[in-house]
Amino acid sequence: MHLARFRYYLSGGRPPGGRRTYPGCRDTRPPERTRPVTLPGQLYFALESRAWTGGMAFYDPNGGGGTPARAYLLTAEQFADIAAQEMCREPGAELDLAPVLASGRAEMGPGRYETLVCPGHLDAHPVLTFTAPWHMHEVRWNAPNSTYLRHIGSGLNEAHAWPGARIAQYLATRPGTAGHWTATAVTTLL
């Protein structure tokens, strides 16, 4: 959701506090537009991030509730290159979106961000994201580090204009952060 962080997927480079350098997309143009959205499902943190350390953010479309997100209007090529970077692949290959558009879900591999999800449409465009193939209760949760959590909090403020207290309460109650990050600690972090 944090546009400054998202731009590293488009243009390449290493985000502040990150441990990974992204190659960027073939087409580095910024999104035509962005919009705040709420996806059905739940945000949770699990595993260990090679890019940030600490837990990684995942989306479980069957997790109940709603997940605030940010929609970026991109080309199919840009989406393919961003997905490749998250799948730890080199950008540049086309991505067959037909299976996810037909069924709402397509597993491109067994890895962390190798499952494509289409939770709906926005202005006649499919909303596409990627996540893990498992459900949130099938994996051990892990709290994210402060830099990563700050990026997510900044994205919530940017995309949804949530005040700090609401962001802190939301993030402190996600599976993986609950019991590790308090709302007070998240407020201080932000």
Side-chain angles (χ1 to χ4, degrees):
M1 287 184 287
H2 191 209
L3 184 59
R5 164 73 180 91
F6 183 75
R7 286 186 178 131
Y8 286 93
Y9 289 112
L10 295 171
S11 301
R14 181 180 297 204
R19 297 172 59 187
R20 182 172 172 208
T21 301
Y22 296 89
C25 293
R26 292 168 280 177
D27 178 354
T28 61
R29 288 178 296 161
E32 246 182 72
R33 62 182 183 265
T34 71
R35 180 189 284 178
V37 295
T38 301
L39 305 177
Q42 191 163 166
L43 169 72
Y44 68 99
F45 296 90
L47 305 180
E48 182 74 18
S49 171
R50 292 178 285 225
W52 300 100
T53 72
M56 303 164 59
F58 292 101
Y59 165 62
D60 185 344
N62 299 311
T67 298
R70 186 177 202 167
Y72 295 95
L73 184 56
L74 304 170
T75 66
E77 179 183 278
Q78 286 175 312
F79 180 78
D81 287 351
I82 292 166
Q85 291 174 78
E86 278 299 288
M87 294 176 190
C88 296
R89 299 176 184 159
E90 283 298 314
E94 297 308 311
L95 186 59
D96 181 9
L97 298 176
V100 69
L101 295 175
S103 70
R105 181 183 176 97
E107 290 186 16
M108 308 307 290
R112 299 169 176 203
Y113 291 123
E114 295 187 353
T115 299
L116 303 179
V117 177
C118 179
H121 288 77
L122 184 62
D123 297 336
H125 298 287
V127 175
L128 295 171
T129 190
F130 34 83
T131 191
W134 53 78
H135 297 287
M136 59 188 265
H137 295 290
E138 297 174 341
V139 65
R140 185 174 175 209
W141 299 335
N142 187 24
N145 81 8
S146 59
T147 304
Y148 189 49
L149 199 61
R150 189 179 303 113
H151 278 296
I152 294 169
S154 294
L156 285 166
N157 178 263
E158 240 179 57
H160 291 267
W162 284 8
R166 183 174 180 188
I167 293 168
Q169 182 61 34
Y170 174 75
L171 291 176
T173 58
R174 299 304 88 206
T177 57
H180 297 280
W181 282 96
T182 64
T184 301
V186 175
T187 298
T188 301
L189 174 68
L190 298 175

